[in-house]
Amino acid sequence: MKKKILAVVVALAAFVGLFASHPVQKQSIQAAKTTKTAKKTTKKAKTKQIRVTYTLKDTTKAKNKQTLAKKTFKVKKGTTVFTVLKKAWKVNYTKSSYGVFITKIKGLGNEKKKLYWTYTVDGKMAKVAADKQKLTKNKSKVVFTLKKY
């Protein structure tokens, strides 16, 4: 009887010894979880980048809107319309308490002749200055139009 009990104890000890090696396996599981977390973080970083297309139009010389330039950018979500505009083209502007007032883009614009730049974001006329308008939507379309007023 003692031999049977001793055999069972030894078998249990061996069985427990097999499961004692599981921390290595737990480390593998932890590494897999860390990899998944890193992938999620990378996805979040990618979602913070949005694509925005800028178009410059001139309505002062032709009956139809003449497209002068078009560029697409990848920008950080929350970037202002003005920040991207300055990266794309040479911009002349004045500052006021309301924000920036764009006087020229690519050398076009003339206050004496009452030629001014306005802009829309996704077809909606802006209600704030370009340095106050944030870009939050992927695939947004920003259109700057030179008009006579």
Side-chain angles (χ1 to χ4, degrees):
M1 182 79 161
K2 287 184 181 181
K3 287 183 182 181
K4 285 184 182 180
I5 293 175
L6 184 63
V8 170
V9 170
V10 169
L12 281 173
F15 189 70
V16 170
L18 282 174
F19 285 106
S21 66
H22 263 52
V24 173
Q25 199 171 24
K26 285 183 181 179
Q27 289 174 349
S28 298
I29 293 169
Q30 185 63 33
K33 286 181 182 178
T34 304
T35 304
K36 285 181 183 178
T37 304
K39 285 180 182 178
K40 285 181 183 178
T41 304
T42 304
K43 278 186 179 182
K44 285 182 182 179
K46 285 182 182 177
T47 58
K48 289 183 182 179
Q49 291 282 317
I50 59 173
R51 251 181 155 40
V52 183
T53 301
Y54 275 62
T55 305
L56 300 182
K57 293 188 176 189
D58 182 354
T59 61
T60 62
K61 296 180 181 175
K63 289 182 181 180
N64 296 331
K65 293 180 180 177
Q66 180 185 4
T67 300
L68 302 172
K70 190 173 191 174
K71 292 183 181 183
T72 300
F73 303 91
K74 270 189 176 179
V75 299
K76 186 177 176 183
K77 189 175 184 176
T79 302
T80 67
V81 168
F82 186 62
T83 300
V84 180
L85 180 68
K86 287 192 311 182
K87 287 181 182 178
W89 298 285
K90 184 177 191 267
V91 179
N92 294 46
Y93 60 94
T94 58
K95 289 183 180 182
S96 76
S97 59
Y98 298 106
V100 296
F101 179 72
I102 298 166
T103 55
K104 290 184 180 183
I105 302 174
K106 288 182 65 173
L108 298 171
N110 190 329
E111 290 182 75
K112 290 179 184 176
K113 293 184 180 179
K114 297 186 179 183
L115 300 177
Y116 297 103
W117 288 97
T118 61
Y119 77 97
T120 60
V121 178
D122 297 324
K124 295 179 184 175
M125 185 60 76
K127 295 181 180 179
V128 295
D131 63 328
K132 307 284 186 204
Q133 181 69 49
K134 294 186 186 240
L135 297 165
T136 58
K137 186 177 159 191
N138 192 32
K139 297 183 182 177
S140 285
K141 294 180 184 347
V142 178
V143 179
F144 278 86
T145 306
L146 184 62
K147 294 183 178 184
K148 185 170 184 158
Y149 287 93

